[in-house]
Amino acid sequence: MSYQSLAKEIVQLVGGEQNIISVVHCATRLRFTLKDHSKADKNSLKNLDGILSVVENSGQFQVVIGSHVSEVYKKLPNFINVSSTPKNLSEKPKGNIATKIFEVISGSFSPLLGALAGAGMLRALLALLTMTGVLSTESGTYSILLAAGNAIFFFLPIFLGITVSSKLGANPYVGGMIGAALLDPNFTGLLQNQGDITHFLGIPVVLMNYSSSVFPVFIAVSIYAVLDRFLRRIVHKDLQMFLVPMLSLIIIVPLTAIAFGPFGVYIGNSIGQFINFLYSESGVLTGALMGGAWIFLTLFGIHTGFTPFILENLASGGDPILALVSAAVFSQIGLAFGIFLKTKDKKLKALAGSTLLPGLFSGITEPILYGLALRYKRTIPYIVIAGVAGGGVSGLLGAKATAYAFPSALSIPIYSPLVPYIIAMLIAFAVATILTVIFGYEDKKKKVVEENRVEAGEPLIKREAIVSPLTGEIKLLAGVDDPVFASGAMGKGIAIEPTVGKAVSPVDGTVTTIFPTGHAIGITSDQGAEILIHIGINTVQLGGKYYSPVVKQGDRVNQGDLLVNFDIEKIKEAGYPVTTPIIITNTDRYIDIIDLNKETVQVKEALLTLVV
């Protein structure tokens, strides 16, 4: 599916443009703020090509896409007026104060994560080049590249001023000016020329270094957002363009220097000291806790809430949090490698390999988490155990990060001491790999003595028959010209090249999903099989042309009931293949899914056998 088609489908399935207040993206997911979450169709979104999962947390509706999320985000303006700020401040969703604070923090950092990670990786590259003697720290080349890597961290108050203002619905450029004022040479020069104290209209001002700081600008811009709304109510609209920004700067910048800035620094230092206190008191316990819990924080999409604490620690000389949670990242990479070694299924091996590389070289592990760990849930304890082991060792040996970057093989040079950190990550990776290889990844069914089952008149193995919804030529799923289906990421199944433009229900059950375009239908059988029939490849781009559904979501259907008519020739003329994957999306529920090794099939003939 093209990025544009995927963006269009997502907008429709979250309730349309009218239900979207704002949307931002982080490294792997779109984070929507919606008016009404009940209008979003989670089941259809989860079954959509290219979607790994859907998470609701902290007032956000998060659509997990993977490392290409930015490409999907770029296409959203074709269907909605994309904004990271609420279109109408009165339409903000309800929630408690903690939820709202977290949403502001998360939403403010999400647009910056790519730049922060890129700059951190540049720092890691420089560390590697200087460590190996390729580049001298005295050279101009080093200084120029270091400036490129340091800029976003040094000028972080400016960038945060922009993103926090955007998130709160205020003028982002005025917010950026508030952050910039704290770094202006006229202000920073006071610290050099007048010591720690100066005065503003006779009021003492405690001077501090605000470069790389986080909390001062959060507090200042939050107050500015309130002031901005107040001023726009009392200032005549013809004067607002210059008078509101001018008054905001006159009021907020001095207040920041006098109160908000020192208080924010105090908060940041206090949190950093508390984390370092825990780390110093028991690095093993702190590391084990962070390494084991990080997978769940990532699942709920709240892991970005730690970013301000990480950056505050880095501004103070080093951060233990990144070093500890790195163990969770390498344990997930170890899981993917273990499945790659263990499985004999070529499709699963390809899926494990394709998720392994992004995790190893960019630190993006959501494809592993959603594509493997949640699919084979018995592996989640492996990740937790490996994360606890690696995090505990990292804490014991005192590893810390010296720059911000997603944990990966390429970012290793930013950690210190280097060798202890490498040892801890190898432990996390090895434990997850070994556990996966020894104990396997598939859910084991409870063993029952055969004689007792026979005496009770129960079959030893339960089977469910799935008949063909189509007439046509059978193809292996691996041969489908779509990597999501071919890799098995959506589940096991078969594909059919239809010769008759009618699709019927393969089971007795309920229509749980039917896409507005009619090209894909999800059915849950009475015995619990979740079946996706996807008619054609990339045919969502037809916008429903040449498809005529005869059922709707929630309808009860019997095996053989007509679901949809479609025009094969017209679809092909439009340039789209009609190859139709039939996927069992809850594959992990079954011991095996057996196809009947046919070359052709007639509608309502046996197609798949599901073994429970």
Side-chain angles (χ1 to χ4, degrees):
M1 182 182 293
S2 69
Y3 295 133
Q4 178 154 324
S5 299
L6 183 56
K8 180 180 180 181
E9 285 284 325
I10 291 171
V11 170
Q12 290 177 345
L13 293 173
V14 297
E17 180 179 7
Q18 66 278 5
N19 195 40
I20 299 171
I21 297 176
S22 63
V23 58
V24 295
H25 77 86
C26 57
T28 58
R29 58 189 85 193
L30 294 173
R31 295 172 178 262
F32 288 93
T33 302
L34 302 179
K35 297 177 188 176
D36 186 352
H37 283 217
S38 66
K39 292 182 179 179
D41 189 343
K42 289 181 67 174
N43 289 331
S44 294
L45 277 167
K46 288 179 180 179
N47 289 327
L48 194 61
D49 307 355
I51 302 298
L52 295 174
S53 186
V54 176
V55 179
E56 291 184 82
N57 198 276
S58 301
Q60 291 184 336
F61 190 90
Q62 304 171 13
V63 180
V64 185
I65 294 174
S67 56
H68 55 280
V69 64
S70 61
E71 299 300 325
V72 179
Y73 181 81
K74 290 176 184 176
K75 301 300 181 181
L76 288 178
N78 294 331
F79 312 107
I80 60 172
N81 181 21
V82 174
S83 174
S84 60
T85 64
K87 297 172 185 173
N88 184 333
L89 293 176
S90 66
E91 294 177 336
K92 285 186 179 180
K94 297 178 180 179
N96 59 43
I97 187 65
T99 296
K100 291 178 179 178
I101 290 173
F102 179 85
E103 184 186 348
V104 171
I105 292 174
S106 178
S108 299
F109 272 102
S110 291
L112 298 176
L113 287 179
L116 289 168
M121 290 303 294
L122 178 55
R123 292 279 299 274
L125 176 62
L126 286 174
L128 181 63
L129 293 176
T130 54
M131 189 187 309
T132 55
V134 175
L135 198 62
S136 168
T137 56
E138 306 299 323
S139 68
T141 301
Y142 175 83
S143 297
I144 292 171
L145 292 177
L146 185 62
N150 279 344
I152 190 169
F153 298 103
F154 185 87
F155 295 107
L156 189 59
I158 300 176
F159 293 102
L160 280 177
I162 293 170
T163 58
V164 175
S165 296
S166 296
K167 186 65 181 174
L168 295 176
N171 187 322
Y173 302 105
V174 175
M177 291 171 68
I178 293 170
L182 302 177
L183 304 175
D184 184 83
N186 292 298
F187 182 78
T188 58
L190 293 174
L191 188 61
Q192 297 175 344
N193 300 328
Q194 298 188 24
D196 296 337
I197 301 290
T198 190
H199 292 81
F200 178 80
L201 299 178
I203 303 172
V205 176
V206 178
L207 296 173
M208 294 184 172
N209 180 4
Y210 292 107
S211 64
S212 303
S213 64
V214 173
F215 293 101
V217 76
F218 261 105
I219 296 171
V221 174
S222 297
I223 301 298
Y224 155 63
V226 176
L227 176 64
D228 179 74
R229 290 196 289 273
F230 171 74
L231 291 175
R232 291 186 184 281
R233 285 199 300 267
I234 64 172
V235 175
H236 192 278
K237 63 180 181 180
D238 292 336
L239 302 177
Q240 285 182 3
M241 187 180 73
F242 73 91
L243 195 55
V244 170
M246 184 185 77
L247 292 174
S248 297
L249 292 171
I250 289 174
I251 295 170
I252 296 297
V253 172
L255 283 177
T256 302
I258 295 168
F260 305 151
F263 181 65
V265 170
Y266 174 76
I267 290 177
N269 288 342
S270 297
I271 294 173
Q273 288 168 7
F274 177 70
I275 293 172
N276 287 322
F277 169 75
L278 293 177
Y279 191 61
S280 62
E281 287 296 307
S282 180
V284 174
L285 182 60
T286 306
L289 178 63
M290 293 298 294
W294 195 250
I295 177 179
F296 302 107
L297 298 176
T298 304
L299 274 174
F300 291 116
I302 59 177
H303 55 301
T304 55
F306 283 83
T307 303
F309 309 130
I310 292 171
L311 294 176
E312 286 285 352
N313 286 334
L314 289 173
S316 301
D319 169 65
I321 298 177
L322 270 178
L324 301 181
V325 303
S326 293
V329 173
F330 278 91
S331 69
Q332 292 172 63
I333 298 170
L335 168 67
F337 186 59
I339 291 177
F340 181 82
L341 295 177
K342 178 80 171 178
T343 185
K344 295 179 181 178
D345 186 321
K346 292 182 179 180
K347 292 176 285 186
L348 181 57
K349 188 179 286 288
L351 174 62
S354 66
T355 61
L356 179 64
L357 294 178
L360 188 62
F361 295 112
S362 68
I364 303 298
T365 59
E366 270 84 347
I368 298 174
L369 193 55
Y370 293 103
L372 296 175
L374 291 186
R375 181 176 176 183
Y376 303 108
K377 295 181 178 63
R378 70 177 284 115
T379 64
I380 292 178
Y382 305 165
I383 296 174
V384 173
I385 293 169
V388 167
V393 172
S394 180
L396 175 67
L397 300 178
K400 290 188 176 184
T402 60
Y404 184 92
F406 296 156
S408 70
L410 297 181
S411 66
I412 287 176
I414 70 170
Y415 294 90
S416 178
L418 186 60
V419 173
Y421 173 79
I422 293 175
I423 291 172
M425 296 311 106
L426 286 175
I427 289 173
F429 176 84
V431 168
T433 301
I434 292 169
L435 288 174
T436 305
V437 171
I438 292 177
F439 296 106
Y441 53 87
E442 292 182 296
D443 292 334
K444 304 299 183 184
K445 306 299 179 181
K446 293 181 179 180
K447 293 184 179 180
V448 181
V449 179
E450 183 173 353
E451 291 79 2
N452 291 340
R453 296 291 299 272
V454 173
E455 288 176 7
E458 298 178 10
L460 186 61
I461 296 177
K462 295 182 180 180
R463 300 171 183 265
E464 180 177 1
I466 307 296
V467 303
S468 177
L470 299 161
T471 293
E473 178 186 348
I474 291 179
K475 300 177 65 174
L476 292 176
L477 202 59
V480 174
D481 188 20
D482 185 300
V484 175
F485 291 122
S487 67
M490 294 287 293
K492 293 183 179 180
I494 201 75
I496 296 176
E497 191 74 28
T499 55
V500 178
K502 294 180 181 293
V504 305
S505 176
V507 292
D508 295 338
T510 303
V511 177
T512 50
T513 303
I514 182 160
F515 286 76
T517 52
H519 75 289
I521 297 175
I523 298 175
T524 300
S525 76
D526 291 343
Q527 297 183 53
E530 297 174 4
I531 305 160
L532 175 66
I533 304 168
H534 193 286
I535 305 170
I537 302 301
N538 293 328
T539 45
V540 65
Q541 298 182 60
L542 292 171
K545 290 169 63 177
Y546 316 130
Y547 291 90
S548 301
V550 298
V551 294
K552 60 182 183 299
Q553 187 170 323
D555 281 356
R556 169 77 189 172
V557 291
N558 294 319
Q559 193 177 79
D561 285 354
L562 182 63
L563 301 174
V564 59
N565 293 301
F566 56 99
D567 192 322
I568 295 175
E569 296 307 318
K570 290 288 182 65
I571 294 170
K572 288 182 177 179
E573 287 174 10
Y576 298 96
V578 290
T579 307
T580 302
I582 294 103
I583 307 295
I584 309 302
T585 56
N586 59 338
T587 290
D588 58 341
R589 182 176 184 266
Y590 299 96
I591 297 173
D592 200 3
I593 295 174
I594 304 169
D595 68 71
L596 300 183
N597 198 25
K598 297 180 178 180
E599 293 185 359
T600 60
V601 68
Q602 296 292 316
V603 68
K604 295 192 285 186
E605 283 186 351
L607 181 68
L608 296 171
T609 301
L610 312 185
V611 183
V612 182

